[in-house]
């Protein structure tokens, strides 16, 4: 046995590759090894399908608006409570979903539990339709809402765990696009499915129930993906010797009092903009049928354009915003374009494909530009609280405005509903302009271009390095030099000497 070199450490340090489990045979192939790109991208497909069912079923009411109102004998206001009941639990769960995944269930078990909530909620929703019990349908949407938003948090956590530092931005863009595909498929499939079932069963609440079971099938697919993800993540954790993923969210309600005015303006924009988009899509089917004389299939196709465009545009627009910066400018532009689209739909009879296609682009642009601004103004240790609070207020706004929008349609019609949405967009525009002005007064940090932000960060790093260098080579006082000399030669310091006394001498107080 060779003698160890005298300069080698007594205890050898093991590399991370030595800690990892060695694989052989099929397990070491590119498709099965979690260290290989191919395996990670196979897992990515499971991550994308994890939320497919929840996004597909979220807009089941929008795709079947006419059928639900006719078969269940409800007005528009009552119909819109199906969206309100989804949002109510998320007013609270947005704060605690990450905590439950991190501290209570763990990411793997938590994903399965929330997937089961989504599946159970859709099943109750379908059973309520088959039994002609609208209150049971509302209860199903409530249960569905408990799992829906938290499942999205779990999906993001898996993405970060598997792709941190490796194509993560692309993965988030692909996730968003795939989610919109689920919404688009729902809009274009559910009405034909209802018509096909009605040829065998006849129209009525029984047919509606059978159609909603199709949505339950997509939720079952998502649950299966959750189970597979849990298995592969546990296997990867064993092989790579890593812990299960965590959301990283830290929620402290008391942090809210320290948030600046710009954060509250961003929250106003978030609520005022999204309440003019999602409730409109929820009511869009009948609007396009009545105003533009479209058949149900064409009306659903138009109504789904926002999601179709978003699926393709989100990664591209995200890349553009990343490269250019100017987030506040893009936010204001997105609000203005959406405002123009609603005005076209309200006051003209132009082909609705035009307005809805443009709205899909502006909707994607706002999402890409608005949410990252929070990270510019809120410290990292408070981001969990900030995003949780924004989502909570957003869900509260969606719950209330959904009910109000339905009541407006029942009492005043769709024209006044569009005026109502225009008022909310005007509020978002005012908040956006105020955000721009306040930011400009404070130096324009939020609306910097990417080049300006990079230059500022580089200058700050250089200034910090120079400051550290000055501190490092700061001349010592005569007292400090004398004390250092005594310490070197082993002289005993007086008993009354301590660090506080030395600070007085450095300040010249006792000289």
């Amino acid at each position: 046995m060779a003698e160890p070199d005298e300069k080698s450490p007594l205890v050898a340090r093991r590399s991370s590759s030595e800690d990892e489990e060695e694989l052989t045979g099929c397990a070491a192939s590119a498709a099965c090894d979690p260290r290989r790109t191919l395996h990670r991208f196979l897992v990515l497909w499971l991550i994308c399908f994890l939320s497919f069912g929840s996004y597909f079923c979220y807009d089941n009411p929008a795709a079947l608006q006419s059928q639900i109102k006719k078969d269940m004998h409800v007005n528009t206001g009552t119909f819109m409570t199906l969206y309100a009941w989804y949002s109510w639990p998320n007013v609270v769960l947005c704060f605690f979903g990450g905590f439950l995944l991190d501290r209570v269930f763990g990411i793997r078990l938590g994903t399965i539990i929330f997937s089961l909530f989504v599946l159970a909620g859709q099943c109750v929703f379908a059973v309520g339709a088959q039994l002609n019990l609208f209150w049971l349908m509302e209860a199903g949407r409530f249960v569905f809402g408990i799992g829906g938003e938290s499942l999205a948090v779990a999906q993001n956590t898996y993405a970060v765990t598997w792709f941190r530092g490796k194509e993560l931005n692309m993965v988030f863009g692909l996730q968003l696009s795939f989610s919109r595909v689920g919404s688009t498929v729902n809009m274009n499939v559910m009405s034909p499915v209802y018509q096909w079932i009605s040829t065998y069963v006849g129209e009525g609440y029984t047919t509606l129930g059978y159609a909603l079971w199709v949505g339950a099938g997509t939720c079952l697919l998502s649950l299966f993906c959750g189970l597979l993800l849990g298995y592969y993540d546990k296997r990867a954790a064993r092989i790579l010797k890593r812990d299960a993923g965590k959301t990283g969210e830290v929620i402290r309600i008391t942090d809210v009092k320290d948030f600046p005015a710009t954060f509250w303006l961003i929250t106003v924009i978030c609520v005022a903009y999204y309440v003019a988009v999602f409730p409109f899509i929820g009511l869009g089917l009948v609007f396009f049928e009545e105003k533009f004389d479209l058949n149900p299939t064409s009306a659903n196709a138009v109504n789904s354009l926002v999601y179709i465009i978003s699926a393709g545009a989100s990664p591209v627009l995200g890349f553009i915003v990343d490269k250019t910066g100017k987030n506040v400018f893009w936010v204001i532009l997105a609000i203005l374009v959406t405002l123009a689209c609603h005005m076209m739909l309200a006051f003209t009879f132009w082909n609705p494909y035009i307005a809805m296609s443009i709205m899909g682009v502006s909707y994607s642009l706002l999402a890409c530009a608005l949410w990252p601004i929070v990270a510019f103004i809120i410290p990292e240790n408070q981001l969990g609280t900030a995003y949780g609070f924004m989502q909570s207020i957003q869900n509260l706004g969606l719950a209330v405005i959904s009910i109000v929008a339905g009541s407006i349609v029942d009492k005043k019609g769709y024209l006044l509903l569009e005026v109502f949405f225009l008022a909310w967009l005007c509020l978002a525009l005012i908040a956006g302009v105020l955000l721009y002005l306040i930011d400009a007064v404070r130096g324009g940090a939020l609306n910097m271009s990417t080049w300006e932000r990079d230059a500022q960060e580089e200058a700050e790093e250089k200034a910090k390095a120079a400051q550290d260098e000055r501190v490092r080579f700061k001349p010592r006082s005569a007292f400090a030099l004398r004390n250092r000399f005594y310490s070197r030669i082993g002289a005993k310091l007086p008993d009354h000497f301590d660090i506080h006394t030395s600070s007085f001498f450095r300040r010249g107080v006792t000289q």
Side-chain angles (χ1 to χ4, degrees):
M1 181 175 178
E3 293 294 328
D5 189 276
E6 62 180 6
K7 294 183 179 179
S8 63
L10 294 177
V11 180
R13 184 176 299 171
R14 298 177 64 186
S15 65
S16 59
S17 60
E18 291 175 340
D19 290 334
E20 296 173 358
E21 181 179 320
E22 184 177 352
L23 301 177
T24 58
C26 180
S29 65
C32 299
D33 187 348
R35 291 164 291 207
R36 308 286 287 275
T37 301
L38 178 59
H39 180 78
R40 290 190 295 108
F41 275 86
L42 291 174
V43 170
L44 176 59
W45 279 103
L46 296 177
I47 294 174
C48 289
F49 272 107
L50 182 62
S51 65
F52 182 86
S54 63
Y55 277 91
F56 182 95
C57 294
Y58 172 77
D59 273 319
N60 273 176
L64 298 171
Q65 180 185 354
S66 301
Q67 293 86 342
I68 291 175
K69 290 171 64 178
K70 179 181 64 177
D71 295 343
M72 303 305 295
H73 306 288
V74 296
N75 59 23
T76 308
T78 305
F79 164 79
M80 287 301 288
T81 60
L82 295 176
Y83 283 99
W85 280 109
Y86 174 89
S87 296
W88 287 127
N90 292 302
V91 174
V92 176
L93 281 177
C94 282
F95 281 109
F96 301 110
F99 172 80
L100 292 174
L101 287 170
D102 282 347
R103 305 293 179 84
V104 180
F105 302 131
I107 180 62
R108 299 164 198 145
L109 179 59
T111 299
I112 295 170
I113 290 174
F114 290 129
S115 296
L116 285 171
F117 268 107
V118 169
L119 175 61
Q122 182 66 16
C123 290
V124 173
F125 187 47
V127 170
Q130 284 191 304
L131 299 179
N132 196 24
L133 298 173
F134 192 78
W135 66 266
L136 190 58
M137 295 178 70
E138 292 178 317
R141 291 290 287 184
F142 182 86
V143 176
F144 180 81
I146 292 175
E149 295 292 316
S150 297
L151 187 61
V153 175
Q155 183 186 37
N156 292 337
T157 306
Y158 269 128
V160 172
T161 301
W162 281 85
F163 292 91
R164 187 194 304 271
K166 307 182 187 76
E167 314 100 5
L168 185 58
N169 290 329
M170 181 207 69
V171 167
F172 274 116
L174 189 59
Q175 274 184 207
L176 178 60
S177 297
F178 215 83
S179 301
R180 297 308 173 210
V181 168
S183 301
T184 302
V185 172
N186 160 72
M187 290 289 193
N188 291 279
V189 164
M190 289 304 291
S191 183
V193 167
Y194 179 94
Q195 296 301 326
W196 178 74
I197 295 175
S198 67
T199 59
Y200 297 95
V201 183
E203 294 187 358
Y205 57 82
T206 303
T207 301
L208 177 63
Y210 284 133
L212 293 174
W213 280 108
V214 174
T218 63
C219 295
L220 188 62
L221 172 64
S222 292
L223 174 61
F224 180 69
C225 290
L227 291 168
L228 285 179
L229 270 174
Y231 166 75
Y232 283 120
D233 190 67
K234 186 175 182 179
R235 176 177 177 270
R238 186 192 76 242
I239 294 171
L240 304 177
K241 301 296 187 290
R242 62 166 169 79
D243 296 329
K246 295 183 181 293
T247 66
E249 292 186 2
V250 180
I251 303 296
R252 302 184 190 90
I253 305 299
T254 55
D255 289 343
V256 174
K257 70 179 187 305
D258 300 322
F259 291 162
T262 48
F263 170 80
W264 299 110
L265 288 173
I266 292 171
T267 303
V268 170
I269 295 171
C270 175
V271 175
Y273 184 87
Y274 284 114
V275 298
V277 175
F278 291 128
F280 173 73
I281 293 174
L283 293 167
L285 175 64
V286 175
F287 170 72
F288 292 119
E289 287 177 347
E290 292 184 357
K291 178 167 183 176
F292 297 97
D293 197 25
L294 300 178
N295 60 49
T297 301
S298 298
N300 265 324
V302 174
N303 206 27
S304 66
L305 276 175
V306 171
Y307 293 143
I308 295 174
I309 300 297
S310 175
S314 292
V316 176
L317 292 173
F319 177 80
I320 292 174
V321 174
D322 280 342
K323 292 299 181 182
T324 62
K326 298 287 185 182
N327 289 59
V328 178
F329 165 78
W330 292 119
V331 167
I332 294 175
L333 179 62
I335 296 170
L336 284 170
V337 173
T338 307
L339 188 64
C341 292
H342 271 284
M343 292 178 70
M344 289 169 57
L345 293 170
F347 304 120
T348 74
F349 285 88
W350 296 353
N351 191 318
Y353 281 89
I354 300 173
M356 293 300 287
S357 298
I358 298 173
M359 190 185 297
V361 175
S362 61
Y363 163 76
S364 303
L365 179 59
L366 182 120
C368 294
L370 180 69
W371 293 93
I373 297 179
V374 179
F376 295 152
I377 61 177
I378 300 296
E380 186 176 356
N381 65 317
Q382 296 178 338
L383 278 178
T385 305
Y387 280 122
F389 192 83
M390 279 182 67
Q391 290 176 315
S392 177
I393 298 300
Q394 179 189 357
N395 277 284
L396 178 61
L398 288 172
V400 174
I401 298 304
S402 294
I403 297 173
V404 173
S407 299
I408 290 174
V409 171
D410 287 330
K411 297 176 181 178
K412 301 295 182 179
Y414 280 97
L415 178 59
L416 191 62
L417 176 67
E418 278 290 11
V419 174
F420 178 69
F421 289 146
L422 287 170
W424 279 104
L425 287 170
C426 288
L427 176 61
L429 181 60
I430 292 170
V433 172
L434 287 175
L435 178 64
Y436 175 83
L437 294 175
I438 292 175
D439 178 58
V441 170
R442 296 178 178 178
L446 303 183
N447 202 40
M448 283 184 176
S449 68
T450 302
W451 303 280
E452 291 171 335
R453 184 167 286 115
D454 290 343
Q456 184 188 53
E457 291 177 355
E458 184 178 352
E460 289 175 352
E461 288 177 0
K462 288 182 178 178
K464 185 177 183 300
Q467 178 67 22
D468 292 342
E469 195 72 12
R470 284 195 298 270
V471 171
R472 180 182 176 186
F473 293 104
K474 182 179 179 180
R476 295 178 180 270
S477 66
F479 175 80
L481 290 171
R482 186 167 60 249
N483 180 55
R484 183 177 177 83
F485 171 74
Y486 287 150
S487 299
R488 287 291 182 94
I489 64 175
K492 187 177 183 300
L493 294 175
D495 294 334
H496 64 275
F497 178 82
D498 60 20
I499 188 65
H500 303 292
T501 308
S502 68
S503 65
F504 286 140
F505 274 93
R506 281 197 295 271
R507 295 189 181 98
V509 175
T510 58
Q511 288 181 352

